[in-house]
Amino acid sequence: QVQLVESGGGSVQAGGSLRLSCGAYGYTSSYFYMGWFRQAPGKEREGVASIDDNATTGYADSVKGRFTVSRDNAKNTLYLQMDSLKPEDTAMYYCAADFFSWGRAQVPPKSYFRYWGQGTQVTVSS
């Protein structure tokens, strides 16, 4: 059973940076696609960034140029470096993963992912 554990959330002022991490446990297969989603109160969960095991990435337009997704396959860990944070980035951030091949420079729909972490809160104050 795949388990995902996020860490690294917190509170920061606008313009600041945070780095999220997501450890993945319990899988050995290839084509392990990983991504970050976020959900603000009263809003739907939306894709933020994603990456396959060949390092092909996808980003939401709202975070392009500010966020960087990466992964360390040897450590089974996914990262999200968030720079130039804005108050509208405030949300619960979730790590997601599943076994599929995507091959496109965009974040897959959340329905593609069966495995989810518990979430980590990011709060950006103005």
Side-chain angles (χ1 to χ4, degrees), residues 68-88:
T68 303
V69 63
S70 61
R71 63 192 283 174
D72 184 331
N73 291 330
K75 295 181 179 179
N76 294 342
T77 302
L78 175 72
Y79 303 100
L80 184 67
Q81 177 66 40
M82 304 185 293
D83 299 317
S84 302
L85 282 160
K86 304 175 181 180
E88 51 264 44

Side-chain angles (χ1 to χ4, degrees), residues 3 15 23 56 64-65 67 72 75 92 96 99 104-105 107 118-119:
Q3 289 187 315
T56 299
K64 281 181 182 176
F67 290 12
D72 184 331
K75 295 181 179 179
M92 185 71 79
F99 300 95
R104 281 171 266 186
V107 182
Q118 80 285 356

Side-chain angles (χ1 to χ4, degrees), residues 2-3 10 12 14 23 37-38 41 55 58 64 74 85 89 102 118 123:
V2 175
Q3 289 187 315
V12 65
F37 288 75
R38 67 186 180 187
K64 281 181 182 176
L85 282 160
D89 295 318
W102 181 246
Q118 80 285 356
T123 302

Side-chain angles (χ1 to χ4, degrees), residues 25-49:
Y25 308 91
Y27 79 97
T28 56
S29 300
S30 301
Y31 302 107
F32 192 61
Y33 200 99
M34 302 186 78
W36 290 99
F37 288 75
R38 67 186 180 187
Q39 189 167 17
K43 294 189 176 181
E44 287 201 14
R45 191 170 298 190
E46 62 175 1
V48 176

Side-chain angles (χ1 to χ4, degrees), residues 43-64:
K43 294 189 176 181
E44 287 201 14
R45 191 170 298 190
E46 62 175 1
V48 176
S50 60
I51 184 168
D52 66 14
D53 49 10
N54 289 318
T56 299
T57 58
Y59 293 94
D61 288 343
S62 58
V63 306
K64 281 181 182 176

